[in-house]
């Protein structure tokens, strides 16, 4: 039986298109020291580190070595450290690894850290190309944006979703990001503005696409005994998991639906005893690197039926005032330090449960869901947090 | 020191050569393209004809050896028209497609040609999911995925 585990501290950094004011270890230090401060812990209280980044976006392979000192002085105190890289889900997988370390009973207090300096990547697509199949698919025009655009074209075709629906998603996230001091894009956006931004890859416009950000995130996972000692209001992990889909993009032309995410959601909801996610969840932090993906995620996660995601945003169900606010942080659409983005989703969900989300706090959050996708839309992670001991 | 000093930014660059073996399966597929034939592999257990061909079936975990020739025409499953310039991707505008060739059970990723893409409205009226496409071959074929220059609408 896994042990009960809770998040007891979260640290975020300011994000921008280039944090030229800090070195890479300083950026990580900013996140880790904030997490330690929130939990009122000392570096010596940490038993192990899980570390996520998506090599080689930083231009340095295996940056965990560079950042060992910033991970609570892991090098100086000879802590065990495990590195995780799973594309866009890197941060989500790093959270899972931190959780599993504690749930296993082998460690009591574990620091999960994820970081990325996409701002130091001068040509991000050239880095992405290194992740694409070198025999059949590289150099044919596939990239993160074009794959998201295939999803959008299929969703428009099958379900009648429109550019206006995508604009509503962008507007909602930009509005939320303005209340988040850790967001990258913090500008006012109207539906009309969104529809006038330039086309990137039909039907996705600039306002439908995430920026490239520098940023880092740290989360402290603790065993039940330690969590109760550290804080009165931890965020308990009540469900978690990862799922993979097949490798070839042409093997899954059902781009309008995210069946692998649906399957993972059913597994995680079963662990957490969630019957009706729209009713039972209070907030969700989804990996919406591209606007259309948030719509498809609503459907895959059971917030609405397939094809009804556009209606959900048009009715305002997922705005801050709606029944289930999605991405009070502004989401990945407004801030994307790639390998860290999945961990930021967990951090934001934890802050909501702990009542520490400040200007972006949703009232009375008891259950919060965090999601990430990666690997050419082939991987997903989910983590479900609760204010109540499971 | 009271004045704030300029932060120095140090340039970096990776230029690393690699070599990737195509393996026996993709090599046969590419040799087939040189001869204007599109080859796929059928799984003996689930009977799916897999495109692009690969050495084993992921679902059945069986090695594959049953080569079949698939059609040079197929159906458009999904597309996007990219209007932005990205270093390492084709010059814009270009149309990325997933095409399911006749006789294959999975789609091939490739490019669409011979449709004017500059005006998105007319282009998206012309390009429709489900439309019929055919391969156009390069004159000079080198044994690679680009031996098919692009797919184009069937006249
Ligand atoms: Zn099979």
């Amino acid at each position: 039986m896994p042990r009960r585990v809770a998040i007891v501290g979260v640290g975020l950094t300011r994000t921008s298109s280039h944090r030229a004011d800090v070195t890479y270890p300083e950026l990580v230090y900013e996140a880790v020291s904030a997490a330690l401060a929130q939990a009122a812990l000392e570096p010596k209280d940490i038993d192990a580190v899980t570390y996520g980044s998506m090599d080689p976006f930083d231009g340095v392979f295996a940056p965990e070595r560079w950042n060992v000192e910033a991970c609570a002085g892991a090098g100086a105190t000879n802590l065990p450290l495990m590195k995780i890289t799973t594309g866009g889900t890197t941060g989500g997988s790093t959270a899972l690894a931190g959780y599993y370390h504690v749930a296993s009973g082998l460690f009591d207090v574990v620091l999960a850290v994820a970081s990325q300096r996409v701002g130091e990547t001068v040509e991000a697509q050239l880095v992405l190309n290194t992740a694409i199949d070198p025999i059949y698919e590289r150099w044919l025009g596939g990239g993160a944006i074009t794959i998201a655009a295939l999803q959008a074209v299929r969703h428009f075709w099958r379900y009648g979703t429109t550019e206006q629906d995508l604009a509503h998603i962008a507007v909602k996230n930009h509005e939320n990001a303005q209340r988040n001091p850790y967001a990258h894009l913090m500008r006012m956006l109207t539906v009309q503005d969104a529809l006038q931004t330039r086309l990137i890859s039909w039907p996705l416009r600039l306002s439908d696409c995430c920026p490239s950000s520098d940023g880092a995130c740290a989360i402290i996972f603790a065993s039940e005994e330690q969590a109760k000692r550290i804080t009165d209001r931890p965020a308990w992990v009540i469900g978690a998991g990862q799922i993979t889909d097949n490798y070839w993009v042409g093997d899954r032309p059902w781009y309008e639906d995210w069946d692998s995410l649906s399957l993972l959601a059913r597994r995680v909801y079963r662990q957490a005893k969630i019957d009706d996610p729209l009713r039972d969840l209070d907030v969700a932090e989804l990996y919406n690197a591209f606007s259309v993906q948030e719509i498809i995620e609503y459907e895959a996660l059971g917030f609405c039926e397939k094809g009804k995601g556009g209606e959900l945003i048009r009715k305002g169900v997922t705005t801050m005032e709606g029944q289930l606010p999605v991405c009070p942080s502004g989401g990945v659409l407004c801030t994307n330090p790639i390998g860290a983005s999945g961990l930021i989703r967990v951090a934001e969900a934890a802050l909501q449960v702990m009542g520490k989300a400040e200007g972006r706090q949703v009232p009375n959050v008891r259950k919060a869901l965090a999601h990430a996708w990666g690997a050419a839309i082939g991987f997903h992670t989910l983590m479900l947090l609760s204010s109540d001991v499971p | 020191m009271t004045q704030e000093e300029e932060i120095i930014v140090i340039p970096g660059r990776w230029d690393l050569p690699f070599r990737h073996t195509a393996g026996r399966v993709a090599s046969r597929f590419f040799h087939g393209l040189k001869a204007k034939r599109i080859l796929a592999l059928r799984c003996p257990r689930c009977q799916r004809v897999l495109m692009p061909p690969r050495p084993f079936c992921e679902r059945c975990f069986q090695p594959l050896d049953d080569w079949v020739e698939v059609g040079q025409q197929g159906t458009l499953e999904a597309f996007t028209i990219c209007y932005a310039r990205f270093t390492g991707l084709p010059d814009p505008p270009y149309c990325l497609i997933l095409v399911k060739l006749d006789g294959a059970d999975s789609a091939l990723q490739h490019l669409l040609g011979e449709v004017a893409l500059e005006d998105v409205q007319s282009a998206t009226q012309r390009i429709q999911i489900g439309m019929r496409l055919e391969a156009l071959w390069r004159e000079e074929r080198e044994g690679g995925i680009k031996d098919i220059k692009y797919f184009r609408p069937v006249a």
Side-chain angles (χ1 to χ4, degrees), chain A residues 20-350:
Chain A
D21 56 318
V22 287
T23 66
Y24 205 169
E26 283 176 296
L27 185 69
V28 174
Y29 181 85
E30 196 174 307
V32 173
S33 52
L36 288 169
Q38 190 179 79
L41 291 176
E42 298 288 329
K44 65 171 173 51
D45 298 320
I46 302 297
D47 298 328
V49 178
T50 63
Y51 188 98
S53 71
M54 190 178 164
D55 301 8
F57 268 104
D58 312 301
V60 177
F61 187 76
E64 69 276 14
R65 195 178 78 78
W66 198 3
N67 291 321
V68 143
E69 323 170 88
C71 292
T77 50
N78 308 116
L79 290 182
L81 181 146
M82 183 179 284
K83 160 72 173 299
I84 312 275
T85 300
T86 57
T89 53
T90 292
S93 301
T94 304
L96 288 174
Y99 165 61
Y100 295 154
H101 268 66
V102 180
S104 69
L106 296 171
F107 301 91
D108 285 330
V109 181
V110 173
L111 176 68
V113 181
S115 64
Q116 205 83 68
R117 302 206 68 157
V118 198
E120 306 229 314
T121 316
V122 181
E123 297 284 2
Q125 184 61 42
L126 285 179
V127 181
L128 271 176
N129 278 356
T130 67
I132 295 174
D133 182 82
I135 297 168
Y136 291 118
E137 293 181 344
R138 200 179 288 176
W139 317 118
L140 270 183
I145 293 171
T146 46
I147 285 189
L150 295 176
Q151 293 180 288
V153 165
R154 289 284 299 196
H155 209 273
F156 282 26
W157 170 74
R158 173 65 63 87
Y159 299 123
T161 302
T162 64
E163 284 191 89
Q164 278 76 16
D165 296 335
L166 304 190
H168 282 293
I169 293 282
V171 166
K172 187 262 298 175
N173 282 288
H174 277 74
E175 192 179 311
N176 291 354
Q178 289 180 70
R179 286 184 290 266
N180 176 7
Y182 305 103
H184 175 179
L185 301 182
M186 297 171 76
R187 59 164 193 258
M188 248 299 280
L189 187 78
T190 65
V191 169
Q192 201 180 4
D193 294 338
L195 291 171
Q196 280 170 358
T197 60
R198 70 190 168 96
L199 261 179
I200 303 296
S201 197
W202 165 260
L204 302 182
R205 296 180 178 277
L206 187 63
S207 56
D208 298 308
C209 303
C210 58
S212 300
S213 316
D214 273 1
C217 177
I219 291 182
I220 300 169
F221 288 91
S223 63
E224 181 173 10
E225 193 184 340
Q226 292 296 323
K228 285 178 173 166
R229 189 183 61 76
I230 293 165
T231 175
D232 295 335
R233 204 169 166 185
W236 297 95
V237 180
I238 58 167
Q242 192 271 355
I243 197 165
T244 59
D245 205 339
N246 44 31
Y247 174 68
W248 297 102
V249 294
D251 281 19
R252 35 189 163 95
W254 50 89
Y255 278 75
E256 61 273 29
D257 302 319
W258 234 333
D259 290 344
S260 55
L261 179 57
S262 298
L263 192 58
L264 175 62
R266 285 199 292 275
R267 291 177 191 166
V268 170
Y269 292 159
R270 201 178 310 130
Q271 292 169 25
K273 300 181 179 64
I274 301 284
D275 300 320
D276 175 353
L278 190 62
R279 185 197 64 204
D280 297 345
L281 300 177
D282 300 303
V283 65
E285 275 287 339
L286 308 184
Y287 201 100
N288 55 359
F290 303 97
S291 57
V292 66
Q293 293 172 335
E294 187 173 317
I295 289 176
I296 301 176
E297 287 156 6
Y298 294 164
E299 300 168 11
L301 292 167
F303 301 170
C304 60
E305 287 171 39
K306 281 182 180 178
K308 302 285 188 193
E311 195 178 309
L312 211 65
I313 184 68
R314 283 198 303 276
K315 286 184 174 169
V317 175
T318 55
T319 62
M320 284 301 272
E321 298 74 33
Q323 186 185 354
L324 175 55
V326 171
C327 291
S329 65
V332 183
L333 193 62
C334 293
T335 311
N336 193 10
I338 299 175
S341 295
L343 195 65
I344 294 173
R345 307 279 69 70
V346 179
E348 289 286 345

